[in-house]
Amino acid sequence: MSGAKDQEEFYTKLKSQLQDTSLWPSEYLYKFIVPAKSNQVKIIDKIFDNMGAVITTRKSKKGTYISTSVNVRMKNPDAVIEKYKEVAQKVDGVISL
């Protein structure tokens, strides 16, 4: 249960930082790491589909993970956080940076 509390604290802090450092709407760069042996990158692509996102991927040195960067224009900090939550819910084994 403390994990959920920690997550909410993280998102509250992130929202505050985003409000303080950017004028909205603004470009935002998401970074995710997913296991390479799965189709998790496709799920991330689908989550950001039809948003004008520029998505780039790169395999790790050993090929076990894929780094995914998503550059997209977001309307406000709440929208940024909603996408983080959606990715965390739908993508198995994702690490959000």
Side-chain angles (χ1 to χ4, degrees):
M1 294 213 205
S2 65
K5 184 180 178 212
D6 290 343
Q7 263 190 334
E8 283 309 312
E9 286 177 16
F10 169 78
Y11 289 129
T12 301
K13 184 177 177 184
L14 176 62
K15 181 178 178 178
S16 176
Q17 290 173 337
L18 291 172
Q19 288 171 330
D20 293 344
T21 60
S22 300
L23 294 174
W24 298 92
S26 183
E27 292 287 321
Y28 188 78
L29 179 63
Y30 292 91
K31 291 193 175 210
F32 305 106
I33 297 173
V34 294
K37 62 183 175 184
S38 62
N39 67 342
Q40 303 306 313
V41 173
K42 289 180 184 178
I43 297 170
I44 292 173
D45 287 346
K46 192 170 185 176
I47 290 170
F48 289 95
D49 195 25
N50 297 322
M51 293 183 66
V54 177
I55 301 173
T56 56
T57 59
R58 195 170 124 207
K59 279 196 173 187
S60 65
K61 196 175 198 178
K62 294 182 181 180
T64 53
Y65 294 98
I66 297 175
S67 166
T68 304
S69 298
V70 181
N71 195 350
V72 64
R73 189 161 186 80
M74 300 302 288
K75 63 181 180 176
N76 58 41
D78 290 325
V80 170
I81 291 168
E82 284 306 311
K83 284 296 178 185
Y84 270 122
K85 289 180 178 180
E86 185 178 354
V87 169
Q89 180 184 30
K90 293 181 178 178
V91 181
D92 293 331
V94 69
I95 299 170
S96 299
L97 304 174

